[in-house]
Amino acid sequence: MATVRVFFGQCDGLTETGASVAVFRLGSVERLANLSSSGTSAVLQAVGGGDWTAPQDGFVQIVTDGDVSAVSGDAPTATATTGALITSGNPEHFNVLAGEKIAVIDV
């Protein structure tokens, strides 16, 4: 079981070619509720209850103290063999679209 912390925010930053870079604007960062992962897929819960849904296009940073697999989508189900592998202590950044949810599972 891992504790998974997820942060949502909009970003600024452009590369030399004009592509966007995931650089959080501190004023836009929202810390989401912590999630305890398990061997069963779980959708990130919003503070106050219910599934968390991205309010707009943006980026999430996922930090965990155990290895998990994560997926996003309209009705995501994480499996140990699909999705993004996020290893303990190594924050990862992902683009999410408005309306998407995030699910994680232990690997």
Side-chain angles (χ1 to χ4, degrees):
M1 180 182 326
T3 298
V4 181
R5 295 175 181 86
V6 180
F7 301 85
F8 171 81
Q10 293 182 297
C11 22
D12 288 327
L14 297 175
T15 66
E16 292 176 5
T17 61
S20 62
V21 177
V23 179
F24 284 107
R25 279 185 275 155
L26 286 179
S28 76
V29 175
E30 171 190 359
R31 181 173 180 168
L32 308 176
N34 295 340
L35 171 70
S36 294
S37 65
S38 69
T40 303
S41 179
V43 174
L44 181 69
Q45 296 295 296
V47 175
D51 293 348
W52 177 82
T53 303
Q56 59 200 25
D57 293 358
F59 285 84
V60 291
Q61 177 189 55
I62 301 176
V63 183
T64 178
D65 63 4
D67 296 350
V68 299
S69 178
V71 295
S72 64
D74 294 331
T77 301
T79 71
T81 57
T82 61
L85 174 63
I86 304 170
T87 56
S88 177
N90 294 302
E92 296 287 351
H93 297 84
F94 301 97
N95 182 37
V96 290
L97 302 177
E100 288 188 325
K101 300 175 183 179
I102 298 170
V104 298
I105 191 170
D106 287 342
V107 294

